[in-house]
Amino acid sequence: MAQMQIPSAGLREEPRRKVRWQPWAKTALSLLMLAVFLFPVYWMIRTSMTPVTALYQNPPQIFPANPSMDAYLDNFVRNRDMLRYIGNSFIIATGTMVLSLLIAVPAAYALARLPLKGKALIMILLLSIQMLPGIMMAMPLFIMFSRVGLIDNYAGLIFADLIHSLPFAVITLRPFFLGLPSGLEEAAKIDGCNKFSAFVRIILPLVKPGLMTVAVFCFLFGWGDFIFALTLSSSDTVKPLTLGLYSFIGQYGTEWNNLMAVATIAALPIIVIFITMQRYVVGGVTSGAMKD
Amino acid sequence: MAKTASIAEGKRKAGRRYKGFSSWNNYLFLLPALLFMAIFIVYPIAYNVVLSFQDVDIYNFRQERNFVGLDNYVQTFRDPVFGTSFVNSVIFTVLSIVFQFTIGFALALFFNMKFPGRNLFRSLTLLSWMLPVVITGTIFQWMLSGDYGVVNALLQSVGILDAPYNWLSEPKTALLATVVANIWTGIPFNMIILLSGLQTLPEHLYEAAKLDGANKWLQFRHITLPLLRPTLLVLLMLGIIYTFKVFDLVFIMTNGGPVNSSTVLPIYAYQLSFSTFEFSRGAAVSMIMFAMLIVIAIFYLRLTSKEEAN
């Protein structure tokens, strides 16, 4: 009896007293943690708006007194080099996204819904490819590409980026196809579709959220790539922004406001995509990493 | 209906019935992916294997090559830098994983509670994971820089440091500095995976435990941990694999220096292939790394298949 009463007494009091303030205390706590955790991002933006004179203050001001946009004007308006890098990054990231989707979508569909031999083997192969160190691929690709003229070439960089985005895309998309009801293709066939038109007209529209997630991540892979840009491109004509930022470190050393302005611009598409596509992003993190 | 009828008659008949969907042209869907993987993944790996037994460098890579057997591997194991980079890789990986994992786990437990704004905050933390590594490396380089870095300013103002300390150019701390940056990028990934694992755990077990008088720690110890075990193992395994191959961050922040104090294996392989252009030596180091990753991957695949079987 006594045992029964204690928890029920607790239950009666708890919700009334705690519900009011405790969730909001957690909100406040998480706001604080987030502020600490994302401080580096804040510091990047703050530094980019710090005038050179205030840059080498000790101790530095956490909130700048008079923010300036000089670093942005210098690097993106007066000097146009960075604009070319941004353009290159967009071409490479978009190319990676489009090509990954074109190749991965039918493959993921086949691996999920069509009777094929060797499916398990292909899945294991895809999982293993994700584990390959970039440098292990970069060196043989460098030699291969320098023979066929793919060095300093958008296509070369896009192909290289696909090494990681393609397996990710297939592994992420397959569960979306698996989740569809099983009679779809047969129904489509009765309605006069063949295998390919059923896939394009009936199946694809149903996995739109999956396609969005994969598109977002493949774009980010292409945008963020560094090692292939470093090893497979040498001229400014195809260099992406990541590599531009790196060579900028060497050139301008300690002009941190300029460096951080470039870094902020390089981070901008990520932040925009992040805010507008949040729900697709969270899904992509887990699906690519785990088994289906 | 057709389906249930055909089960007893075996697969052959089912195959005939859905003829259009089970014939050879199913492979057309896979063909582009397989072609791509053959040309851009399998072939380069095979090429890497061959290279590692030859004597190819920048001077002869367009011409005839000689096979030199295991020379590149022997040289690699004799090179003291290889030993240093291996140890650095292990330190980098172990420290990164321990902290990413524990901080990520703590955050996952926190965000598993219900409070206003938790979804927003949870996904905002992902920003550090999604940022291109080059940017992360540059930011941390600036924050950790000697004279005007904000970290030194902070440590001086609370009295931990007397004078500015050059984290990235001191051999004692260069590797640790890269580890800190890597932990920062990895926390959200660990958190999100663990959180999705936590959300699958059945609520009623916790209610029953509460009724039995189990406190939060006991609940964590006897319900959360055992039920989350498969997720934990897979996550640790993946974490090790991903961390072991980190290149960009270290390259940007220290490029392995000073005097190899932060050279990890991918940096070592890069330097051989692209600084001194000893392609075959670089290939051998890649193969050694690959072998290590395969061992971990086999563990990983066995774990996932075990989990699938359950």
Side-chain angles (χ1 to χ4, degrees):
Chain A
M1 279 299 282
Q3 270 175 331
M4 291 289 285
Q5 271 172 343
I6 295 162
S8 65
L11 276 179
R12 228 189 304 136
E13 273 178 57
E14 242 176 8
R16 256 188 241 155
R17 223 192 311 148
K18 286 186 176 172
V19 158
R20 278 193 206 124
W21 65 272
Q22 216 193 5
W24 288 103
K26 285 173 190 159
T27 308
L29 183 62
S30 60
L31 198 63
L32 188 74
M33 292 195 303
L34 200 70
V36 173
F37 187 71
L38 291 183
F39 178 77
V41 178
Y42 169 73
W43 201 243
M44 166 181 80
I45 299 168
R46 198 230 62 148
T47 308
S48 73
M49 301 198 293
T50 309
V52 192
T53 44
L55 199 59
Y56 304 117
Q57 258 174 22
N58 206 353
Q61 293 172 302
I62 298 297
F63 305 100
N66 42 351
S68 108
M69 286 312 214
D70 281 357
Y72 291 93
L73 293 175
D74 282 348
N75 291 296
F76 296 101
V77 180
R78 287 183 203 122
N79 180 345
R80 299 291 170 95
D81 286 355
M82 285 294 159
L83 294 181
R84 173 187 279 173
Y85 296 147
I86 294 177
N88 290 340
S89 278
F90 265 108
I91 293 171
I92 294 164
T94 311
T96 305
M97 177 181 84
V98 172
L99 203 57
S100 298
L101 283 174
L102 279 178
I103 301 180
V105 170
Y109 170 70
L111 287 171
R113 298 180 75 90
L114 297 178
L116 291 171
K117 277 176 194 154
K119 274 187 195 177
L121 188 73
I122 295 174
M123 285 309 291
I124 287 178
L125 195 66
L126 289 168
L127 279 169
S128 324
I129 290 168
Q130 285 199 304
M131 297 164 186
L132 295 174
I135 184 67
M136 184 179 167
M137 305 308 294
M139 200 265 295
L141 283 184
F142 173 76
I143 298 181
M144 273 171 69
F145 282 8
S146 55
R147 287 206 186 128
V148 293
L150 279 173
I151 298 283
D152 265 338
N153 189 311
Y154 290 126
L157 287 176
I158 291 169
F159 286 140
D161 287 344
L162 237 62
I163 291 174
H164 288 115
S165 68
L166 184 68
F168 168 85
V170 176
I171 293 167
T172 306
L173 277 169
R174 200 177 78 110
F176 283 93
F177 290 116
L178 282 174
L180 299 177
S182 59
L184 277 177
E185 286 91 343
E186 285 139 50
K189 214 181 158 192
I190 292 164
D191 289 344
C193 283
N194 66 30
K195 169 173 352 188
F196 300 99
S197 58
F199 169 63
V200 175
R201 285 200 211 144
I202 312 292
I203 305 284
L204 275 191
L206 294 173
V207 293
K208 220 169 144 193
L211 297 178
M212 292 297 287
T213 302
V214 167
V216 165
F217 273 83
C218 291
F219 185 89
L220 292 181
F221 283 149
W223 186 268
D225 164 61
F226 178 71
I227 189 165
F228 292 126
L230 178 72
T231 50
L232 303 177
S233 72
S234 58
S235 78
D236 275 357
T237 46
V238 299
K239 255 189 201 172
L241 194 52
T242 46
L243 203 60
L245 178 61
Y246 171 69
S247 41
F248 206 64
I249 301 177
Q251 262 172 40
Y252 293 96
T254 53
E255 289 175 26
W256 289 105
N257 57 337
N258 287 327
L259 276 167
M260 290 296 121
V262 176
T264 306
I265 295 293
L268 200 63
I270 315 287
I271 296 172
V272 170
I273 287 173
F274 189 76
I275 291 167
T276 53
M277 311 247 173
Q278 221 188 75
R279 66 196 172 111
Y280 301 114
V281 169
V282 178
V285 181
T286 47
S287 58
M290 310 300 281
K291 52 142 212 133
D292 318 310
Chain B
M1 315 137 277
K3 234 189 223 162
T4 41
S6 66
I7 287 171
E9 295 168 56
K11 282 176 191 165
R12 237 184 309 149
K13 185 140 191 204
R16 219 182 306 149
R17 187 158 301 171
Y18 310 123
K19 204 173 162 193
F21 289 97
S22 61
S23 52
W24 63 272
N25 59 9
N26 286 339
Y27 292 91
L28 282 181
F29 285 86
L30 267 182
L31 192 67
L34 291 179
L35 267 180
F36 179 87
M37 295 205 296
I39 297 172
F40 291 99
I41 298 172
V42 177
Y43 178 73
I45 293 176
Y47 191 65
N48 207 44
V49 176
V50 174
L51 269 179
S52 75
F53 296 108
Q54 293 178 325
D55 64 345
V56 182
D57 54 27
I58 190 76
Y59 304 109
N60 67 353
F61 80 104
R62 286 168 196 274
Q63 308 147 24
E64 292 275 303
R65 302 89 182 276
N66 300 315
F67 277 91
V68 293
L70 288 170
D71 269 13
N72 295 309
Y73 292 91
V74 173
Q75 272 189 53
T76 302
F77 286 117
R78 282 200 187 137
D79 184 357
V81 183
F82 172 75
T84 315
S85 358
F86 176 72
V87 173
N88 284 344
S89 272
V90 172
I91 295 174
F92 183 86
T93 306
V94 170
L95 282 182
S96 294
I97 297 291
V98 167
F99 285 97
Q100 280 173 6
F101 185 80
T102 42
I103 299 172
F105 206 165
L107 284 176
L109 290 170
F110 182 79
F111 282 111
N112 198 32
M113 300 186 292
K114 287 189 176 65
F115 57 85
R118 84 169 170 153
N119 284 346
L120 179 70
F121 292 139
R122 185 194 60 189
S123 39
L124 276 177
T125 54
L126 273 174
L127 199 56
S128 81
W129 184 72
M130 290 181 43
L131 223 49
V133 183
V134 181
I135 298 179
T136 308
T138 317
I139 299 176
F140 274 84
Q141 213 185 352
W142 163 223
M143 289 183 26
L144 292 167
S145 83
D147 295 332
Y148 305 103
V150 67
V151 172
N152 277 338
L154 193 80
L155 292 177
Q156 278 175 288
S157 70
V158 288
I160 296 177
L161 275 184
D162 299 330
Y165 183 81
N166 220 329
W167 300 94
L168 290 168
S169 46
E170 292 290 340
K172 258 187 273 175
T173 50
L175 185 66
L176 288 182
T178 60
V179 169
V180 169
N182 191 54
I183 291 170
W184 186 71
T185 53
I187 287 173
F189 176 74
N190 283 264
M191 182 196 81
I192 293 286
I193 303 277
L194 288 167
L195 194 56
S196 69
L198 283 173
Q199 281 166 351
T200 61
L201 303 185
E203 192 82 20
H204 67 261
L205 284 178
Y206 291 94
E207 277 153 25
K210 251 185 246 168
L211 286 178
D212 288 342
N215 61 24
K216 288 271 178 206
W217 164 248
L218 285 175
Q219 289 173 29
F220 177 75
R221 175 77 190 72
H222 293 287
I223 302 175
T224 311
L225 275 187
L227 285 181
L228 221 51
R229 213 181 100 96
T231 313
L232 298 180
L233 289 174
V234 170
L235 179 60
L236 282 176
M237 223 48 95
L238 272 181
I240 292 170
I241 291 167
Y242 287 155
T243 314
F244 201 69
K245 63 175 197 179
V246 168
F247 168 81
D248 321 24
L249 194 65
V250 184
F251 183 80
I252 293 287
M253 287 180 73
T254 65
N255 195 8
V259 280
N260 291 322
S261 60
S262 61
T263 303
V264 287
L265 283 173
I267 297 276
Y268 179 57
Y270 173 83
Q271 283 170 350
L272 287 172
S273 303
F274 291 101
S275 297
T276 52
F277 295 104
E278 299 167 83
F279 296 131
S280 286
R281 287 282 317 278
V285 175
S286 284
M287 292 316 300
I288 295 168
M289 258 191 326
F290 188 46
M292 294 173 183
L293 287 174
I294 282 181
V295 173
I296 305 168
I298 288 171
F299 271 112
Y300 167 66
L301 290 171
R302 280 185 57 183
L303 281 174
T304 47
S305 59
K306 232 188 237 170
E307 202 192 336
E308 231 153 56
N310 289 341

